[in-house]
Amino acid sequence: MTNSLSASQWAWEFLRRNPKYRSDYSRLNTRGRQAIDQLFPLLQQTATDQEAAKWGLLAFEDPDIQARQALPFWAIGPTLEAEIVRTGDKPFLPMLRRAGTRANGLQLLGGAMVLTLERDNQSLQILLRDGRSFDETSNVILRLPVNLSLPAHIARGLNFCSLVADKQVKKIMARLA
């Protein structure tokens, strides 16, 4: 059962059991955070959520929620950056749905949005700097900075492709591997 958890889900299972995290969550009473009416689950970051940074999170997540149902937004680890564009024949959200990938978002206080993409035991976060303009017709372009982290960004880019690709693209990727 637990051997099919993603790395993100494993990390959450350890964090949610930490008594100090549970105490911070309870003390800061983040249970009142409301979801924004959107095309996918989208939460609004609060000022209180910024306290979650010491736990490696962008927002508190209820520690009573198990890994397979939790939606933690991690502040640590490689996060791909993407630009929102209005071009392309296949908008991003419908492409995710066809691939069976679940999207969850966190609207950050500064206007950016973090999207977590999940399917099976894969999980990936992308950052959209102008997240408030993201909608059903949007597409995204990944930005891979050329620096010492390039190999990690390329690996995350390949994970991104596997999460959003339909079966035909997966066959092409398999031939390239």
Side-chain angles (χ1 to χ4, degrees), residues 86-105:
R86 301 281 176 221
T87 59
D89 57 347
K90 291 187 177 182
F92 187 61
L93 289 175
M95 191 169 31
L96 288 177
R97 289 185 199 110
R98 278 192 299 279
T101 299
R102 180 173 75 151
N104 302 293

Side-chain angles (χ1 to χ4, degrees), residues 9 41 67-71 96-97 100-104 116-119:
Q9 290 170 330
R68 293 191 196 285
Q69 290 75 40
L71 306 171
L96 288 177
R97 289 185 199 110
T101 299
R102 180 173 75 151
N104 302 293
T116 298
L117 309 177
E118 296 178 326
R119 186 179 71 231

Side-chain angles (χ1 to χ4, degrees), residues 122-136:
Q122 293 183 355
S123 178
L124 177 76
Q125 282 186 174
I126 61 173
L127 174 69
L128 304 169
R129 292 270 176 218
D130 186 20
R132 291 189 176 115
S133 66
F134 187 73
D135 63 26
E136 184 76 21

Side-chain angles (χ1 to χ4, degrees), residues 8-172:
S8 174
Q9 290 170 330
W10 268 112
W12 175 246
E13 279 301 319
F14 280 95
L15 182 58
R16 76 184 198 93
R17 287 174 167 79
N18 184 308
K20 291 180 181 178
Y21 175 81
R22 294 179 79 82
S23 174
D24 276 0
Y25 176 84
S26 179
R27 179 178 54 83
L28 295 168
N29 193 16
T30 60
R31 291 182 188 102
R33 185 185 325 119
Q34 296 295 315
I36 300 171
D37 185 26
Q38 200 46 252
L39 303 167
F40 54 91
L42 179 64
L43 298 175
Q44 177 69 50
Q45 185 184 42
T46 66
T48 304
D49 282 326
Q50 293 179 321
E51 297 286 326
K54 76 178 187 181
W55 298 104
L57 296 171
L58 294 169
F60 281 101
E61 179 66 68
D62 185 343
D64 290 333
I65 300 175
Q66 294 182 14
R68 293 191 196 285
Q69 290 75 40
L71 306 171
F73 291 93
W74 298 101
I76 55 176
T79 296
L80 292 175
E81 189 166 333
E83 179 183 334
I84 300 169
V85 294
R86 301 281 176 221
T87 59
D89 57 347
K90 291 187 177 182
F92 187 61
L93 289 175
M95 191 169 31
L96 288 177
R97 289 185 199 110
R98 278 192 299 279
T101 299
R102 180 173 75 151
N104 302 293
L106 178 66
Q107 186 74 54
L108 302 178
L109 291 175
M113 179 191 300
V114 175
L115 281 178
T116 298
L117 309 177
E118 296 178 326
R119 186 179 71 231
D120 302 328
N121 65 346
Q122 293 183 355
S123 178
L124 177 76
Q125 282 186 174
I126 61 173
L127 174 69
L128 304 169
R129 292 270 176 218
D130 186 20
R132 291 189 176 115
S133 66
F134 187 73
D135 63 26
E136 184 76 21
T137 64
S138 298
N139 210 331
V140 297
I141 296 175
L142 292 182
R143 299 291 180 204
L144 301 178
V146 180
N147 57 30
L148 293 176
S149 299
L150 183 59
H153 287 297
I154 290 172
R156 299 301 275 177
L158 291 172
N159 289 348
F160 175 83
C161 289
S162 72
L163 284 166
V164 300
D166 60 18
K167 292 176 183 170
Q168 187 64 23
V169 174
K170 289 178 188 174
K171 289 178 187 176
I172 294 168

